Amino acid sequence: MRCTALLIEDNDQNRYLATFLLEHAGYTVVSAADGPSGLAIALKHLPDVILLDIQLPLMDGYAVARALRTTPSFASVPIIAITSYAMSGDREKAFECGFTAYIEKPIDPQAFIDQLLPYRAARHPAKESP
Ligand code: MN
């Protein structure tokens, strides 16, 4: 079964690049360009892993991560921050908000896919077979 990744990123070039890389690596990709749309798509598609930009219109990545973590079926779904915020304080805040891991921009194609390998077999709990 293909892993479904939800990509929430407002920068068109980054979204196209990440989508291309993910699809090339065998993921099914759904995407959004702002926080509220990303949350709606998450609830609809039940992605296996979520790639979440921090700086987003309407609702930032921290708020999206918090909202997901308070939704029971998303309590354990991997949420990976993709951000150019490289300072350690931001990293701590990301983990406090429920992020699982952190990938820094600019996106390096091989490193991007390699850093997602640990989550490749992740399955949204609502989709696991009994
Ligand atoms: Mn952004």
Side-chain angles (χ1 to χ4, degrees), residues 65-118:
R66 284 202 190 95
L68 287 166
R69 288 302 186 222
T70 58
T71 304
S73 74
F74 284 92
S76 65
V77 172
I79 304 175
I80 319 300
I82 306 180
T83 180
S84 49
Y85 285 7
M87 290 158 63
S88 59
D90 294 318
R91 188 176 292 242
E92 274 172 29
K93 184 175 178 188
F95 289 123
E96 282 167 16
C97 292
F99 282 94
T100 309
Y102 200 103
I103 294 177
E104 282 177 14
K105 288 190 240 186
I107 292 170
D108 174 79
Q110 190 60 53
F112 179 75
I113 294 303
D114 288 349
Q115 286 175 290
L116 292 175
L117 281 175

Side-chain angles (χ1 to χ4, degrees), residues 9-11 53-56 105:
E9 161 68 79
D10 62 314
N11 179 279
D53 184 22
I54 299 290
Q55 287 180 293
L56 287 168
K105 288 190 240 186

Side-chain angles (χ1 to χ4, degrees), residues 4-77:
T4 297
L6 167 59
L7 172 65
I8 309 174
E9 161 68 79
D10 62 314
N11 179 279
D12 290 343
Q13 285 189 342
N14 284 334
R15 200 174 59 255
Y16 296 149
L17 173 61
T19 298
F20 173 83
L21 294 171
L22 288 163
E23 288 180 342
H24 187 72
Y27 293 81
T28 297
V29 181
V30 290
S31 66
D34 65 65
S37 303
L39 276 179
I41 290 172
L43 296 173
K44 183 178 176 196
H45 289 271
L46 305 177
D48 304 306
V49 60
I50 297 169
L51 304 169
L52 178 52
D53 184 22
I54 299 290
Q55 287 180 293
L56 287 168
L58 306 177
M59 184 178 186
D60 70 17
Y62 299 121
V64 173
R66 284 202 190 95
L68 287 166
R69 288 302 186 222
T70 58
T71 304
S73 74
F74 284 92
S76 65
V77 172

